[in-house]
Amino acid sequence: MYARDQLLIRCIGFVGVFMLIAGCSTEPRAPVAPQHPDFSGVWLGATRTSWSSTRAKAGTEPDIPYTVWALERMKGQVPGTAGVPDADFENTTDPSLKYADPLGFPRQYQHPLKFKIVQTDDYIYQMWEWNKVWRQIALNKPHSDDLEITWYGESVGKWEGDTLVVDSVGFKDSTWLDGVAHPHSEQLSVIERIRRLDPETLQIDFTFEDPIAYTRPWTAQHKFKLVADGKMTETVTTISDELLYRERYLNKKPPMPIRR
Amino acid sequence: MNRRTFCIALTGAALSLSATVLAHHGRATIFDMTKETTVKGTITEFLWSNPHVQVGIDAVDAKGTHRHWFLEMSSTSIMTTKGWSRKSLKVGDTITVVFHAGLRGAFTGDLLKVIFADGKQLTT
């Protein structure tokens, strides 16, 4: 056997022994990133006007544990959105219709427009067609020490198996939880457990906790379907658009110049 | 799927659809939802806008009086999913419209259907 061949055989043997030792090493290997479900896509839920699972009149639903504060706050409120019995658009006190306020959270989920989920390792983003509203969920991070009070709150999330658990706090108390005027205070906390039931369906289980408005936590569930073509459009309503609409359909003179 | 399950699913789908169409506001206090009105006229404007897509129609009623109607649909996003676009209607075209007319004699309406001169239809 030539010396060159002997050298080659020794090299191969050395590499083999080295790989065997490395394979048996007790040293910890580099951690493998956990594989999480992919929620990416465009989703659309059916319209709903209340988080109650019953059709009982708002304020009397057996599944909602109102405090006296909440019931007082609901007095005199006039819903204006479709699907609510006795909705009165002309005289509504719904802040999203009366003042063109943002729907806020979690009511945003009830609007019948699509939202897109963009998923990264650090953040999950939800982007709604309606007025280009967006929300971010910081993953594996604590809430801020100095929490801001905002329309859509502050959301942090973590994975529990196939479920994304999102904890949101810091909401302005002027928004309604839904279209039937369910109130909340700035102490509202919303827990979402989000999972993909099947390739076409996203399910969110909500737990609402607010010691000012409700005597104990209560729950709701909403499902969303994947939109096949994934198209997102722009659906922006301006003050001018709204006032023009009211002038034509409610005969209300605009209190300010509007675009015509 | 048995017959009962099918009926429940169908009803649920119909409720969901109608709720989607009526997204921005309740309409029962604005329009007469119990009656359908049909008018033939000329398109004066087509606003591809939010919160509602709108169409203006010039028409002459049975007594020969000129009337101008404002008819509303849903939002641009929802109308897109129903096959509408900003090019669906053209100013100057003659169409027939079916709608829930405004209460208290207002010349407004909640548009249900457009019938074109060639018989083609677009529903809301």
Side-chain angles (χ1 to χ4, degrees), chain A residues 135-153:
Chain A
R135 169 188 184 228
Q136 68 177 359
I137 301 163
L139 297 178
N140 305 313
K141 292 183 174 64
H143 279 300
S144 304
D145 292 333
D146 186 16
L147 189 66
E148 293 281 344
I149 301 297
T150 60
W151 297 106
Y152 287 85

Side-chain angles (χ1 to χ4, degrees), chain A residues 59-134:
Chain A
T60 66
E61 307 98 317
D63 58 338
I64 300 185
Y66 296 101
T67 61
V68 172
W69 179 90
L71 291 171
E72 282 296 319
R73 186 130 168 162
M74 290 176 74
K75 282 183 182 170
Q77 299 289 14
V78 181
T81 50
V84 180
D86 304 324
D88 183 349
F89 183 60
E90 287 192 71
N91 301 299
T92 184
T93 58
D94 183 338
S96 74
L97 294 171
K98 187 174 181 181
Y99 308 121
D101 279 355
L103 289 170
F105 192 82
R107 190 178 173 190
Q108 185 69 42
Y109 276 127
Q110 298 188 340
H111 201 279
L113 288 183
K114 293 172 273 189
F115 66 88
K116 184 169 195 165
I117 292 182
V118 176
Q119 191 168 325
T120 73
D121 289 340
D122 299 322
Y123 287 90
I124 289 179
Y125 299 92
Q126 288 175 301
M127 297 179 287
W128 277 268
E129 282 184 325
W130 181 249
N131 283 339
K132 296 208 163 190
V133 168
W134 65 283

Side-chain angles (χ1 to χ4, degrees), chain A residues 160-234:
Chain A
E160 289 184 2
D162 66 350
T163 302
L164 178 66
V165 181
V166 183
D167 177 2
S168 302
V169 293
F171 301 104
K172 279 181 186 288
D173 63 2
S174 62
T175 62
W176 292 0
L177 281 185
D178 51 27
V180 296
H182 285 136
H184 68 86
S185 75
E186 290 185 355
Q187 292 187 36
L188 172 68
S189 153
V190 181
I191 302 291
E192 294 160 81
R193 298 184 65 83
I194 309 173
R195 65 194 180 100
R196 205 164 181 162
L197 290 186
D198 57 54
E200 309 296 322
T201 311
L202 199 68
Q203 176 174 297
I204 305 182
D205 289 283
F206 298 90
T207 301
F208 308 115
E209 187 166 359
D210 183 340
I212 303 294
Y214 304 102
T215 58
R216 57 179 166 75
W218 57 286
T219 61
Q221 187 181 84
H222 202 24
K223 290 189 176 77
F224 303 86
K225 288 292 181 185
L226 190 67
V227 178
D229 65 14
K231 285 183 183 171
M232 294 283 282
T233 63
E234 179 178 280

Side-chain angles (χ1 to χ4, degrees), chain B residues 5-27:
Chain B
T5 309
F6 176 74
C7 288
I8 290 170
L10 196 63
T11 305
L15 285 172
S16 165
L17 181 64
S18 62
T20 299
V21 172
L22 307 177
H24 176 235
H25 55 73
R27 292 180 175 168

Side-chain angles (χ1 to χ4, degrees), chain A residues 46-47 55 80-82 87-90 97 112-114 129-130 233-237 241-242 244-245 248-250, chain B residues 15-16 19-20 22-26 29-31 45 47 50-52 54 70-72 76-78 104 108-109:
Chain A
T47 304
R55 289 179 173 272
T81 50
D88 183 349
F89 183 60
E90 287 192 71
L97 294 171
L113 288 183
K114 293 172 273 189
E129 282 184 325
W130 181 249
T233 63
E234 179 178 280
T235 308
V236 172
T237 301
D241 292 331
E242 184 70 30
L244 175 64
Y245 175 83
R248 290 181 166 183
Y249 294 88
L250 300 180
Chain B
L15 285 172
S16 165
T20 299
L22 307 177
H24 176 235
H25 55 73
T29 56
I30 306 175
F31 305 114
E45 69 170 344
L47 278 183
N50 291 299
H52 299 277
Q54 300 174 44
F70 287 122
L71 308 176
E72 65 157 89
T76 53
S77 172
I78 290 172
R104 299 178 288 277
T108 59

